[in-house]
Amino acid sequence: MSGPSRYGGPFQLGHCHKKGNTAKLHIYMLTRLPFLLLLIALASQSQARIIRIEITSVQSPTFEGKVFGRVGAYEKLRGKAYGELDPNSPQNALITDIRLAPRNAKGMVEYAMDIYILKPIDLGKGNHKLFLEINNRGGKLIGGFNKSNGGNDPTTAAQAGEGFLMNLGYTLAWNGWDCSAAPVNNNLTITVPIARNADGSSITGPSYEYISFDNAASLTYSLAYPAATLEKAQATLTVRDHLGDKPITIPADGWEYASDKTIRLLPTGTPFRQSAIYEFNYTAKDPIVAGIGFAATRDFVSFLRYATADDFGNPNPLANDIRYTFSYSLSQPARYVNDFQTLGFNADEQNRRVLDGIENWLGGASGIALNYRFAQPSRTERNRQNHLYPEGVFPFAYPVLTDPLTRKTAGRLARCTTNNTCPKVFEINSANEYWVKAASLLHTDSRGNDLPDPDNVRFYLISGAQHGTGNETNRGTCQQFQNPTNGEPALRALFMALDDWVTKGIAPPASKVPRKSDGTAVIALPQPGSQTGVIPQAALGWPTIPGVTYTGLITTRYFLDFGPSLDQGVITRFPTSVANRPSYVNFVSKVDKDGNEVAGIRLPPVTVPIATTTGWALRRAEYGENDGCEGAGQYIPFKATKAERVAANDPRLSVQERYRTHEGYVAAVRKSVQKLIEQRFLLAEDGEDYVKTAQESKL
């Protein structure tokens, strides 16, 4: 987007795809209220403030008028927020390329983002707490928390589900932050400037694309950034069928630019090979200042929490209501929140705490490739996915440590400790994050040694779960059925514990993760020259199950060389391989004789199992056989009877041998549920659901 700035002076804004003074956020309400000069004067005296908000629609009540207990009905506010950042402010100067962004007449850098609020119509009946969901690639994922299908614009009573959060009186809010979010399907987006050289010319630099289609029909591939030149000699395209294969360079007559942002194979009409790994290195131009996404969330929450009105006298819709702030994030945004903390964005420009409590789900020990030149924040690395991006970059853990590989000293708590703005944090991960994203580095040093929990952080493994909830009747691209273990009941209970910790000072449940010190951790062994490592079967305790392949494949977190300017967010080279690169030590939980994990929060599907559930999986033949199956896990059912087990030579006891009767199975589930409730890992109402499901089962 380009044109005259509403403040005078030219500016240019762009999106990434794949697709002192103050940072100011402008808020303007379409429903114009009279200008209140006193409020304007008061607002202008504060530093970090919202200047203008645009509420484009109000639905009051929403959810078809559904009433949530004593809180009553909710209303929905949708709109846009227009922001400014002072590039010379110390809090903003660490945003990569912000000083190369166009400025308006006031010397500020502009951006715009979508905002979305669900609030009690009568705020006085709410609990005066903000629940900020950090959206995932523009999408809202809070439906699972509320036991509903949610949707990206929840409107109906059905989309409110059981209304877990609304019944408790939380105000829910979202804001655009991810420049790669596509402006479709009610996604929340942000528009940020394109960085330019001082003379106005395009900035160019190396960019990299990891390309893999699990279909045989894809004819083109869209680049994240336009190519600086269409000379094919200045780019390289390679292909391999398996991650362990040597990449083969595709000759210049085997591909072409269809445009400056699209490549295709030749002759025209040639599809990319199904599940093959293509890698494209080229020189790109016109990077956007993607790191502004961190400041956007900081100032949005700060406004909702602390401000009375914007600079035009329009009141903050939550003015004088919010006493505590929480965030919830799932997967990609959890990695965003990790970097949000590391970079110090939990302090606003007046050094006030932004978020009091953070619940991160499925973020692993990784950050996000957002605050870099030619950022691609939609990427995430797993053992066969998006390698060679700057995601697994030190620091991984919260305490300040010195890394023996980089010789750097850092930690996620370093900046917030200096101004007392550290939040209370729950880092919750599935088994998949330990197997494919090196999640153990969250609570160890770089050599894999256990660290004591920081005073403000706790760590939890949801045992035997994959990345999200799988379908036990669907294999997808994997060899086995996917893992249906659902972590959301534990997330709800832990969020209540987090709230109690923040608002009442009640200590949370102790961390539950694999540890070297208690013998529940199994160390990954790196494989020289390979992009992955291995967990030996004997060390893990994995049983030999007929029809199930075990290779021990695990992600190894290597120290990758992106050039000397990485600390400034500028990648000067992409590594071509991990061969002969040093690696960090990571580990997973040991398993019991059934193959189920022994460490972590063991929900009823693990403590009272009817199957082996894992956080890892392997691809089937037509999709890159025996390479890692990314975020999927496995669901490997037990045999029903002893006779079936013996006939199949399955070492795991049958369901009949374990529980003898249906009533025995239900009793075992009830006992497991009661223990989890006592440990505060399960709410009573969710425990009842487990028991009811067991009673209705046909086991």
Side-chain angles (χ1 to χ4, degrees):
M1 181 173 74
S2 63
S5 163
R6 59 177 51 80
Y7 302 107
F11 69 92
Q12 187 169 25
L13 300 176
H15 289 280
C16 73
H17 295 284
K18 194 113 332 305
K19 276 178 192 193
N21 285 323
T22 160
K24 300 176 182 177
L25 190 61
H26 298 243
I27 293 196
Y28 172 72
M29 294 181 118
L30 271 189
T31 309
R32 300 279 313 252
L33 298 176
F35 282 82
L36 303 176
L37 296 178
L38 177 60
L39 290 177
I40 296 173
L42 291 173
S44 65
Q45 292 172 12
S46 64
Q47 289 194 343
R49 68 185 187 277
I50 288 183
I51 305 302
R52 218 169 141 180
I53 191 169
E54 187 175 280
I55 300 298
T56 56
S57 70
V58 177
Q59 186 179 66
S60 183
T62 190
F63 302 129
E64 300 175 310
K66 182 173 182 175
V67 173
F68 299 93
R70 297 179 181 178
V71 181
Y74 269 62
E75 61 185 1
K76 179 200 306 180
L77 310 179
R78 298 183 63 177
K80 299 280 288 187
Y82 300 91
E84 287 182 341
L85 294 169
D86 180 356
N88 298 312
S89 167
Q91 290 95 330
N92 302 325
L94 49 70
I95 297 173
T96 298
D97 286 338
I98 192 168
R99 291 182 176 171
L100 298 175
R103 306 183 191 189
N104 63 23
K106 295 188 291 184
M108 300 293 184
V109 174
E110 299 183 354
Y111 67 95
M113 66 177 174
D114 299 320
I115 58 171
Y116 194 107
I117 298 171
L118 293 171
K119 59 180 283 292
I121 293 176
D122 184 349
L123 283 174
K125 294 181 179 179
N127 65 8
H128 315 295
K129 300 169 185 176
L130 181 71
F131 184 100
L132 177 78
E133 187 196 7
I134 314 293
N135 70 82
N136 188 311
R137 296 170 176 83
K140 304 176 187 69
L141 299 176
I142 202 61
F145 223 97
N146 281 325
K147 300 184 182 179
S148 76
N149 64 2
N152 226 13
D153 184 23
T155 302
T156 67
Q159 287 173 319
E162 294 185 10
F164 175 75
L165 292 167
M166 284 80 81
N167 285 320
L168 293 169
Y170 289 91
T171 290
L172 284 65
W174 294 260
N175 68 284
W177 64 268
D178 181 356
C179 58
S180 67
V184 297
N185 190 34
N186 292 301
N187 274 350
L188 294 145
T189 65
I190 186 169
T191 306
V192 297
I194 296 172
R196 300 284 188 186
N197 289 315
D199 62 2
S201 61
S202 290
I203 293 173
T204 65
S207 192
Y208 165 74
E209 304 277 353
Y210 185 99
I211 307 165
S212 186
F213 295 106
D214 287 325
N215 64 71
S218 296
L219 301 178
T220 62
Y221 178 82
S222 298
L223 305 176
Y225 292 90
T229 174
L230 300 187
E231 290 291 332
K232 290 194 286 185
Q234 303 300 312
T236 303
L237 180 64
T238 66
V239 65
R240 51 186 158 152
D241 288 320
H242 294 86
L243 192 62
D245 296 342
K246 182 178 180 180
I248 298 172
T249 300
I250 297 176
D253 62 2
W255 69 276
E256 69 176 0
Y257 287 103
S259 72
D260 66 349
K261 287 198 68 175
T262 309
I263 63 171
R264 63 188 173 201
L265 301 180
L266 294 176
T268 302
T270 302
F272 288 87
R273 290 209 306 263
Q274 178 170 295
S275 300
I277 300 167
Y278 294 83
E279 292 171 281
F280 188 61
N281 285 273
Y282 71 110
T283 300
K285 67 178 181 180
D286 296 337
I288 63 170
V289 189
I292 283 174
F294 290 117
T297 296
R298 174 195 68 192
D299 292 337
F300 178 57
V301 177
S302 180
F303 175 83
L304 295 178
R305 179 171 193 172
Y306 296 115
T308 302
D310 67 20
D311 278 15
F312 293 82
N314 300 304
N316 173 2
L318 306 180
N320 300 314
D321 179 68
I322 301 301
R323 300 172 189 169
Y324 298 100
T325 55
F326 298 88
S327 74
Y328 167 75
S329 49
L330 189 163
S331 189
Q332 180 226 28
R335 295 184 289 111
Y336 163 89
V337 173
N338 283 343
D339 280 354
F340 183 88
Q341 296 177 80
T342 304
L343 295 170
F345 283 100
N346 203 48
D348 70 11
E349 291 201 22
Q350 292 178 280
N351 281 328
R352 298 174 298 192
R353 184 181 296 112
V354 175
L355 295 169
D356 294 317
I358 291 172
E359 182 167 279
N360 268 359
W361 170 227
L362 305 177
S366 303
I368 188 170
L370 181 68
N371 196 34
Y372 295 95
R373 182 174 291 179
F374 296 110
Q376 296 190 48
S378 66
R379 301 283 187 175
T380 189
E381 179 189 1
R382 294 189 177 93
N383 46 28
R384 198 200 192 258
Q385 180 179 1
N386 293 328
H387 284 259
L388 309 183
Y389 290 93
E391 175 181 320
V393 177
F394 177 84
F396 309 106
Y398 279 79
V400 176
L401 305 170
T402 298
D403 177 27
L405 301 186
T406 63
R407 306 293 183 187
K408 296 175 183 176
T409 298
R412 299 208 187 282
L413 295 178
R415 284 189 166 91
C416 70
T417 301
T418 64
N419 52 21
N420 194 32
T421 58
C422 295
K424 301 287 196 299
V425 184
F426 283 178
E427 289 280 4
I428 313 169
N429 285 285
S430 75
N432 183 259
E433 277 65 54
Y434 281 80
W435 279 87
V436 307
K437 296 187 81 68
S440 64
L441 284 165
L442 272 171
H443 46 82
T444 72
D445 64 19
S446 299
R447 295 185 174 93
N449 297 310
D450 296 334
L451 293 170
D453 289 348
D455 290 341
N456 66 312
V457 188
R458 297 294 181 269
F459 307 96
Y460 305 101
L461 160 68
I462 304 299
S463 303
Q466 70 173 51
H467 187 83
T469 305
N471 184 340
E472 71 271 25
T473 64
N474 182 19
R475 291 183 173 87
T477 59
C478 311
Q479 296 175 13
Q480 305 295 329
F481 292 118
Q482 295 191 20
N483 185 347
T485 303
N486 184 354
E488 288 162 357
L491 298 182
R492 284 188 284 272
L494 286 170
F495 185 74
M496 291 296 93
L498 178 63
D499 187 309
D500 284 345
W501 196 17
V502 168
T503 65
K504 302 175 184 177
I506 298 174
S511 296
K512 286 188 76 69
V513 290
R515 305 274 195 190
K516 288 176 67 176
S517 57
D518 65 12
T520 58
V522 186
I523 304 297
L525 303 178
Q527 302 298 291
S530 171
Q531 295 193 31
T532 58
V534 66
I535 297 286
Q537 182 173 357
L540 181 66
W542 179 257
T544 298
I545 304 173
V548 178
T549 300
Y550 181 84
T551 65
L553 178 73
I554 185 174
T555 291
T556 298
R557 183 67 74 216
Y558 288 94
F559 167 52
L560 301 178
D561 183 7
F562 294 97
S565 302
L566 190 67
D567 285 346
Q568 288 75 51
V570 178
I571 296 171
T572 54
R573 57 176 173 263
F574 279 92
T576 56
S577 76
V578 298
N580 302 316
R581 300 298 304 171
S583 62
Y584 299 98
V585 177
N586 60 298
F587 55 69
V588 300
S589 171
K590 284 186 176 179
V591 300
D592 61 22
K593 59 186 178 181
D594 295 321
N596 288 318
E597 293 186 320
V598 300
I601 299 172
R602 304 178 84 230
L603 293 172
V606 178
T607 55
V608 191
I610 58 174
T612 299
T613 56
T614 74
W616 59 271
L618 300 174
R619 285 175 163 256
R620 51 192 170 102
E622 58 269 45
Y623 298 103
E625 188 172 21
N626 288 341
D627 274 359
C629 208
E630 284 91 18
Q634 299 176 109
Y635 178 78
I636 311 166
F638 301 147
K639 299 301 181 183
T641 66
K642 180 178 180 180
E644 292 174 350
R645 175 179 71 81
V646 171
N649 198 30
D650 192 327
R652 305 167 301 157
L653 290 178
S654 67
V655 174
Q656 183 186 64
E657 290 173 286
R658 291 167 190 273
Y659 308 115
R660 306 187 69 82
T661 65
H662 176 76
E663 291 72 19
Y665 171 67
V666 173
V669 170
R670 184 177 286 110
K671 181 179 179 181
S672 168
V673 161
Q674 187 57 43
K675 182 177 180 181
L676 288 164
I677 292 172
E678 292 171 358
Q679 294 173 324
R680 299 168 63 200
F681 292 133
L682 200 61
L683 300 176
E685 55 265 38
D686 286 326
E688 291 171 3
D689 288 344
Y690 277 117
V691 174
K692 181 180 179 182
T693 298
Q695 289 171 332
E696 294 175 349
S697 71
K698 297 181 180 180
L699 288 177

